[in-house]
Amino acid sequence: MKIRCIAKTGESLPENYIDPPRGYTRKVELALTIGKEYVVYAIQAWKETIWYYICDDNYSYYPMQNPAPLFEVVDDRVSKYGRFKLWPDGCLMIAFEQWFTDPYFYDKLTDQEEAEIEIFDKVKELMDAEDFTLPPLDVEVEKLRETVSV
C-alpha cells in the first residue's frame, strides 16, 4: 500500500485523533513531507482511528505510527506480506507476519533489539521492492471481460 502526505500538523486532524498524552495536539508537526509518497508497513484501526506505520522523514530503523487523515491513498493494494490480526481489545492490525508471531515485536524493534531490526530491514526491503506499478485487478478483470464478450 502506498500513501501520499496531504498535511503534517495536528491542525488537520479530526478531534478523535487529538491525544495530548501521546503527543497528538493541534500544534504537533510530524516529520512528513507534503506530496511525498510513503510505503505502509502496517495499519492499525482502533477506537475509530486509523494509523499507518511508515518510515517518515526522520526514519532511522523502525516505522512510526502516523494518523491516516494526514494522507491520501495512492495505491490501496495491501502488501503480499500483509497479515490480519484482530486483538482481544478490538484493535485490528494489518502487518507482516513477524509483527504477530511475537506480541512484543514492535516494542523490541523500537528498543533497538538487533534481531528485530534485522527482521524489519529485510521485510522493508521486500515491501519496498513490491511492484505497485502493475495495473490494479479491476483493470485486468475489465480486459478479461472485453476479450470474453467479443
Side-chain angles (χ1 to χ4, degrees):
M1 180 175 179
K2 286 193 175 183
I3 56 176
R4 180 181 301 119
C5 179
I6 57 172
K8 65 180 194 174
T9 66
E11 294 172 354
S12 301
L13 291 173
E15 191 59 39
N16 58 327
Y17 284 85
I18 301 301
D19 187 359
R22 291 183 54 223
Y24 293 98
T25 65
R26 293 280 174 215
K27 295 182 190 248
V28 70
E29 185 169 333
L30 301 173
L32 302 167
T33 300
I34 294 174
K36 182 176 178 180
E37 291 184 8
Y38 298 88
V39 173
V40 176
Y41 302 100
I43 302 169
Q44 179 182 33
W46 189 61
K47 293 188 176 183
E48 299 180 17
T49 60
I50 298 173
W51 302 83
Y52 298 133
Y53 285 81
I54 63 169
C55 293
D56 65 16
D57 295 352
N58 288 339
Y59 171 69
S60 56
Y61 62 93
Y62 66 95
M64 296 288 297
Q65 185 183 56
N66 285 270
L70 300 182
F71 303 90
E72 62 184 359
V73 175
V74 174
D75 193 314
D76 62 359
R77 292 175 284 179
V78 178
S79 167
K80 66 182 176 184
Y81 304 103
R83 304 290 182 265
F84 290 85
K85 175 83 172 183
L86 181 59
W87 298 101
D89 66 358
C91 177
L92 174 68
M93 293 236 17
I94 301 170
F96 48 91
E97 185 176 344
Q98 293 83 351
W99 198 297
F100 302 130
T101 54
D102 178 353
Y104 301 105
F105 175 84
Y106 188 74
D107 292 330
K108 291 176 183 178
L109 178 61
T110 60
D111 287 342
Q112 299 184 13
E113 295 287 333
E114 190 175 324
E116 283 71 20
I117 290 173
E118 193 173 307
I119 290 168
F120 180 68
D121 284 347
K122 181 61 178 170
V123 171
K124 180 181 183 311
E125 181 181 328
L126 292 168
M127 291 177 78
D128 288 351
E130 285 187 284
D131 188 1
F132 284 101
T133 61
L134 294 173
L137 184 57
D138 61 335
V139 172
E140 293 301 314
V141 169
E142 192 56 39
K143 286 181 187 176
L144 182 60
R145 283 187 183 140
E146 290 172 6
T147 60
V148 171
S149 66
V150 172

